[in-house]
């Protein structure tokens, strides 16, 4: 077998055998197949999409290109959670301690943010001292002790995906469903949990903008999961407006901690409970445990144990002044009275990124202090002059520019607008 045979097969739309996909993944991970041939294969695979069977085989091949993590000796039902990325999506920060408080064991390997979507690692690192550079062994040991661990994706986990993903990014081939599915599920498979809750975001702030696009991805994730022995449960959720009030790293941590302390009667808190309930049923546990864990304070206790275990400064958190905060703030008022029809997630995400909350390039530094508070939701009745956004910025000039740009994100109309659900589909 040569890479040329594999390239010609894909070009001509013939099916790959599993062994060919293993050859490709091994060659990508070892560097034996050069980037130009991998890039040619990616473009051919984009134009001639892989079948479900090929996608499953590619997923297995990518997972096997590196280390597969064995968590099977950990107690409790094991669960992983993945979001395809959105604006203000701090759900993992709530779900990890909440589900651990309910008896689920979670070892989550997370990424950093790029573009308008934030990364869980960047968010949690706004807690002073919090360490995400755990080895897999440390993460496992911590999960055995307290039920959860969060750490960065290690390079030895599905390394072939790392190579292919970087090439997809620069060859306009990110958007292929089979390539997305194999990329996401290979890392989940290598991460060692037998079940994964997949939050497929849909809307202007997500990379799947329409419901049919998001549904196509969700169904493919579930079906390929079944074929590779991973119980992948997708939900399609709204990302047309930002998720919750906070967009920006420290601001989002604050909002997540508030939910863990009982603030669930709001759009974001309700969303977290809904996902937690789905996750608990997936694990064969009583779905109502989530609500009880928040009400009893056990979810909050678990969050404190978790933050302490990973080196976070609890004293700073407890007195409320420990998270970094921006020196400048500015409010953006509603320009008219009426009902909020649109709070555009993409625009808010882009403003937050330009303030320094996200990265345009992988090497950019994050400013944990900055971001946007979204003070209105679709369906709200608003008065002229009522604040719609609060900008948190490093300088007055940044605050003013962001406030100006945010006006584009809001649309107020004269007649009532229905509220939009957070969970759009459970395919
Ligand atoms: N997330 C991934 O890990 N891979 C993709 O291809 C898309 C989103």
């Amino acid at each position: 077998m040569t890479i040329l045979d594999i390239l010609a097969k894909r070009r001509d739309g013939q099916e790959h055998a599993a062994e060919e996909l293993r050859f490709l993944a091994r060659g990508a991970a070892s560097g034996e197949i050069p980037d130009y041939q991998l890039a040619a294969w990616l473009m051919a695979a984009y134009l001639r999409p892989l079948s479900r069977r090929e996608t499953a085989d590619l997923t297995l091949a990518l997972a096997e290109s590196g280390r597969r993590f064995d968590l099977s000796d950990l107690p409790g039902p094991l669960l992983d959670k993945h979001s395809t990325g959105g604006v203000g999506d701090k759900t993992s920060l709530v779900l990890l301690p909440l589900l651990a408080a309910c008896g689920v064991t979670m070892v989550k390997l997370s990424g950093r943010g790029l573009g308008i979507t934030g990364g869980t690692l960047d968010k949690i690192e706004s807690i002073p001292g919090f360490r995400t550079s755990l080895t897999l062994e440390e993460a496992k040991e911590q999960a055995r002790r307290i039920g959860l661990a969060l750490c960065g994706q290690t390079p030895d986990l599905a390394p072939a995906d790392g190579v292919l993903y970087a090439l997809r990014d620069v060859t306009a081939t990110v958007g292929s469903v089979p390539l997305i599915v194999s990329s996401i599920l290979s890392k989940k498979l290598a991460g060692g949990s037998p079940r994964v809750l997949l939050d497929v975001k849909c809307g202007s702030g997500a990379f799947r903008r329409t419901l049919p696009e998001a549904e196509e991805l969700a169904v493919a994730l579930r079906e390929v999961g079944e074929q590779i022995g991973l119980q992948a449960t997708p939900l399609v959720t709204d990302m047309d407006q930002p998720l919750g009030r906070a967009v920006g790293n420290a601001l989002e941590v604050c909002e997540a901690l508030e939910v863990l302390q009982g603030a669930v009667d709001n759009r974001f808190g309700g969303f977290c409970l809904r996902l937690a309930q789905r996750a608990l049923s997936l694990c064969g546990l009583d779905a109502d445990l989530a609500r009880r864990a928040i009400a009893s304070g056990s979810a909050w206790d678990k969050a404190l144990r978790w933050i302490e275990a990973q080196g976070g400064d609890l004293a700073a958190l407890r007195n409320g002044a420990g998270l970094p905060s921006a020196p400048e703030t500015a409010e953006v008022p509603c320009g008219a009275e009426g009902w909020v029809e649109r709070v555009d997630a993409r625009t808010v995400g882009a403003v937050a990124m330009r303030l320094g909350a996200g990265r345009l390039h992988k090497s950019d530094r994050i400013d944990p202090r900055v971001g946007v508070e979204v003070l209105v939701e679709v369906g709200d009745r608003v008065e002229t002059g009522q604040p719609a956004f609060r900008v948190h910025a490093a300088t007055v000039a940044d605050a003013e520019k962001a406030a100006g740009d945010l006006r584009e994100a809001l649309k107020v109309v004269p007649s009532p607008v229905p509220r939009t659900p957070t969970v759009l589909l459970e395919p």
Side-chain angles (χ1 to χ4, degrees):
M1 186 190 325
T2 71
I3 181 65
L4 276 181
D5 299 330
I6 293 175
L7 284 172
K9 259 189 142 174
R10 194 81 240 146
R11 180 198 62 200
D12 298 341
Q14 295 167 23
E15 283 242 324
H16 285 311
E19 181 48 37
E20 291 167 341
L21 294 164
R22 280 197 290 274
F23 179 88
L24 190 85
R26 274 198 302 264
S30 67
E32 277 161 60
I33 304 179
D35 283 358
Y36 52 84
Q37 286 177 316
L38 293 173
W41 183 83
L42 286 169
M43 185 55 82
Y46 185 91
L47 296 172
R48 293 192 179 273
L50 304 187
S51 67
R52 282 282 196 273
R53 201 272 304 150
E54 288 175 302
T55 308
D57 284 336
L58 178 62
T59 308
L60 290 167
L62 295 174
E64 282 157 15
S65 70
R67 195 173 157 198
R68 276 185 70 172
F69 201 34
D70 182 10
L71 301 176
S72 58
D73 56 333
L74 286 180
L78 282 166
L79 177 89
D80 199 348
K81 182 243 164 211
H82 180 83
S83 158
T84 58
V87 176
D89 183 8
K90 71 288 286 178
T91 314
S92 293
L93 302 180
V94 176
L95 286 195
L96 260 77
L98 173 55
L99 291 172
C102 299
V104 178
T105 303
M106 302 200 63
V107 177
K108 176 145 173 58
L109 307 172
S110 275
R112 299 201 175 269
L114 190 62
I116 62 164
T117 61
T120 303
L121 294 187
D122 297 319
K123 294 174 203 215
I124 196 82
E125 283 175 356
S126 39
I127 300 176
F130 197 102
R131 194 168 71 88
T132 55
S133 59
L134 306 184
T135 63
L136 289 179
E137 283 66 29
E138 284 175 313
K140 187 170 169 181
E141 167 46 30
Q142 182 180 304
R144 189 187 304 284
R145 240 180 330 111
I146 65 166
L148 77 164
L150 171 72
C151 58
Q153 201 99 48
T154 63
D156 54 353
L157 209 88
D161 175 62
V163 174
L164 293 182
Y165 193 69
L167 287 171
R168 283 165 59 207
D169 219 15
V170 293
T171 53
T173 53
V174 168
S176 153
V177 166
L179 297 181
I180 297 169
V181 168
S182 56
S183 170
I184 292 175
L185 293 187
S186 61
K187 287 174 287 202
K188 296 291 140 193
L189 194 63
S193 292
R195 56 184 79 75
V196 52
L197 186 72
L198 293 157
D199 183 2
V200 178
K201 297 286 183 204
C202 171
S204 87
F207 79 107
R208 308 302 282 179
R209 303 267 182 108
T210 66
L211 202 53
E213 280 177 0
E215 185 175 14
E216 183 195 9
L217 177 59
V219 169
L221 285 162
R222 196 193 61 227
E223 290 181 358
V224 173
E226 265 165 33
Q227 290 184 35
I228 61 170
L230 185 68
Q231 193 181 356
T233 301
L235 287 92
V236 175
T237 74
D238 178 56
M239 191 31 71
D240 244 358
Q241 61 178 323
L243 184 58
R245 192 192 68 234
V247 180
N249 298 283
L251 294 169
E252 290 189 44
V253 168
C254 259
E255 189 178 13
L257 298 182
E258 282 166 20
V259 171
L260 287 161
Q261 290 174 90
V264 288
D265 293 330
N266 54 66
R267 189 174 156 88
F268 172 60
F271 177 72
C272 290
L273 271 183
R274 177 90 187 264
L275 256 56
Q277 286 160 350
R278 190 74 191 83
L280 289 168
S281 329
L282 197 60
C283 293
L285 296 171
D286 176 2
D288 201 44
L289 282 174
R291 193 172 286 282
R292 283 188 255 144
I294 300 240
S296 68
S298 67
W300 177 236
D301 287 344
K302 186 63 81 176
L304 294 176
R305 281 195 75 191
W306 169 44
I307 293 166
E308 187 175 35
Q310 295 201 217
D313 182 351
L314 280 194
L317 271 193
R318 281 212 173 96
N319 71 20
L323 289 175
S325 65
E328 302 298 336
T329 57
E331 287 188 349
V332 181
C334 295
E337 67 166 355
W339 283 264
V340 176
E341 188 185 62
R342 186 150 184 78
V343 185
D344 183 52
R346 180 157 292 267
T347 309
V348 174
V351 168
M353 186 187 72
R354 287 196 293 272
L355 282 166
R359 303 181 178 81
L360 195 50
H361 304 289
K362 278 194 181 131
S363 55
D364 292 347
R365 275 178 67 90
I366 292 278
D367 182 344
R369 306 169 301 168
V370 302
V372 177
E373 275 180 274
V374 182
L375 306 172
V376 293
E377 280 173 18
V378 170
D380 280 358
R381 160 89 197 155
V382 293
E383 303 300 329
T384 309
Q386 176 182 334
F389 302 103
R390 186 174 300 117
V391 174
H392 294 248
T395 66
V396 173
D398 282 358
E400 282 172 0
K401 165 89 175 73
D405 293 345
L406 279 170
R407 284 176 220 280
E408 296 295 311
L410 184 70
K411 185 169 177 200
V412 175
V413 295
S415 30
V417 174
R419 296 200 180 277
T420 45
T422 47
V423 176
L424 304 176
L425 285 176
E426 291 194 42

